[in-house]
Every structure is written in structure tokens, then in C-alpha cells.
Amino acid sequence: SGKRGLAYNTAKNTVSFAQAGHASKVSWAYNWYSTAYTPWLDGSDTSSFNPALRYIPMIHSLQSDVVGVWSKNVDSRPQDTDAVLAFNEPDGCNGGGATCMAIGNAVNGYRELMTKYGPQVRLGSPAITNGATGIPWLKEFLSQCNGCQVDFVAVHWYAGYAPGIFNYFKSYLEEIHNTFGKPVWITEFALEPSASEQQQVEFMKQAVKFLDQAEWVHRYAWFF
């Protein structure tokens, strides 16, 4: 379907996918950065990203080291890049990859750094969490960013295992689609590590079947 992707930390982890003769349906990848090689993880290795995959740049935050290389890297992106992703979990303030951004700052940053690429590629919203703050944050962002080009909504989803957990996953994504009326990218999702391998596989099989069939889900990436 062309929907399946990878969220990766080091480029060499992409080489097992989308190779000739393999059954992989993975077609795209991103790494929370603006080039396929994350300097602090990949060092000088610029040859290990799988060229069979479409690389999608992301501006993780408004930190100076991220913003300072953004335009240069995106301007020199691979020719098959067809989208760019915005800020990572701006509604989250509990560490990890969350960026805990004030909405006004996010709006100004989006206008300055994202919208100039609108004529060339699709633009993704900031990627919200499935916590209580996610949907309200994105509603206010879109209200303040009036007139901004936002072609799809990016979301994350994590939860602990429980009977019927797939129903929560499905209903959350349907709420996202019904609330914002835009195509959806799920750029991170998985059960929390406390789930067993069997539980992860059971959930993944249900999730992938649903995501592949939902026309309004354009792309998704499992991450663990």
C-alpha cells in the first residue's frame, strides 16, 4: 500500500527492509532529524541508509542546533522526498522526545520553517501524543496558525496492554480523523514495553490490517 514506514535512530537499522527479493512492504523512513544520518548517532557514516526507502525530514524542535541546519538539509533533500514533518510531541512535557512547546512559539516556527516548502511537498502537523493534552493542543495550534498549509495530521500512540486495547487504538485514530478532517500519519505507535512479545504481535496484526484498510490513514510507522 506504500503506507508502512520506519522510525529509526541509526541509519544502518534500515538496511533489512525493502530489499530486492524480500517480502517487506516498508517504503519510507524518518529519524526525527533533517538528514538520513543523525550526526550524534551515525558519526561519519553516510552510506548506511537504505536507498530503497524514501527519506522524510523532520524539524524536531526549535532548538538552535536543529533550526540551524534545517533549511540547508531540506533544500538538499533526496528527490523522492514528498513530505516534511513538524515538531515532535509539542504537547508533552515529560521528557523523552517530547518538546513541550508553547503554542505561539510553535505557530511562529511553523510559519517560518515549514510553510515555505508547501508548494513542493506535503506538510505535516506537529506530531501530538495520545495523552489528554494532544488533541486540545493541536486544535489551538490550527486555530492560531490560521491560513497555514497543513496537509495531514501526525500523531503518536502508546498504551499498555489490556484486553480490547486495539479498540482504543482504533477509536483514538477515528477521533483524530473526525476532529480534524485531514489525512492521518501515525509516526510512532506501539504497545508499551511491559507487553509480552505475543501481545505485541497480536496487537500489531490487528493494527496493520486496520491501518492498511483505512483510506484516510496515509502512512504509519511502528516504533519500539
Side-chain angles (χ1 to χ4, degrees):
S1 66
K3 295 183 180 184
R4 301 181 188 182
L6 302 174
Y8 69 92
N9 284 314
T10 55
K12 66 181 181 181
N13 292 339
T14 66
V15 298
S16 298
F17 297 85
Q19 297 287 356
H22 291 190
S24 173
K25 296 182 180 180
V26 172
S27 62
W28 67 280
Y30 85 105
N31 60 343
W32 302 274
Y33 196 58
S34 52
T35 67
Y37 315 100
T38 314
W40 53 90
L41 294 174
D42 291 314
S44 60
D45 182 3
T46 60
S47 62
S48 57
F49 180 76
N50 184 350
L53 300 176
R54 174 182 286 118
Y55 176 73
I56 304 298
M58 179 184 201
I59 185 158
H60 181 270
S61 68
L62 291 175
Q63 291 184 191
S64 59
D65 59 334
V66 174
V67 173
V69 297
W70 171 251
S71 293
K72 176 183 176 181
N73 288 342
V74 178
D75 289 345
S76 60
R77 66 194 181 276
Q79 290 186 347
D80 66 346
T81 296
D82 62 356
V84 290
L85 300 170
F87 316 118
N88 194 72
E89 298 188 356
D91 63 295
C93 299
N94 297 317
T99 52
C100 194
M101 298 176 69
I103 293 175
N105 292 341
V107 169
N108 291 337
Y110 191 95
R111 288 187 187 279
E112 177 184 355
L113 301 166
M114 289 283 289
T115 56
K116 62 184 177 180
Y117 296 109
Q120 307 164 43
V121 296
R122 290 174 289 173
L123 306 182
S125 76
I128 57 171
T129 72
N130 59 309
T133 57
I135 290 177
W137 192 99
L138 188 55
K139 281 183 176 180
E140 185 60 27
F141 171 87
L142 293 174
S143 175
Q144 291 190 27
C145 208
N146 185 37
C148 291
Q149 178 180 335
V150 179
D151 297 306
F152 60 89
V153 170
V155 299
H156 295 172
W157 183 93
Y158 294 102
Y161 177 80
I165 191 63
F166 168 72
N167 293 328
Y168 165 44
F169 175 75
K170 181 174 180 287
S171 64
Y172 168 72
L173 294 179
E174 289 173 340
E175 181 182 8
I176 290 291
H177 178 59
N178 292 334
T179 299
F180 299 106
K182 295 179 181 291
V184 178
W185 286 32
I186 305 94
T187 51
E188 291 183 33
F189 79 105
L191 292 181
E192 293 174 356
S194 57
S196 69
E197 181 177 347
Q198 180 180 354
Q199 291 166 342
Q200 294 275 11
V201 171
E202 176 188 346
F203 169 73
M204 181 188 284
K205 287 181 176 179
Q206 291 178 297
V208 165
K209 181 178 180 181
F210 163 69
L211 296 172
D212 282 345
Q213 291 178 346
E215 293 182 358
W216 44 269
V217 173
H218 283 197
R219 289 184 185 169
Y220 62 89
W222 180 272
F223 180 65
F224 59 95

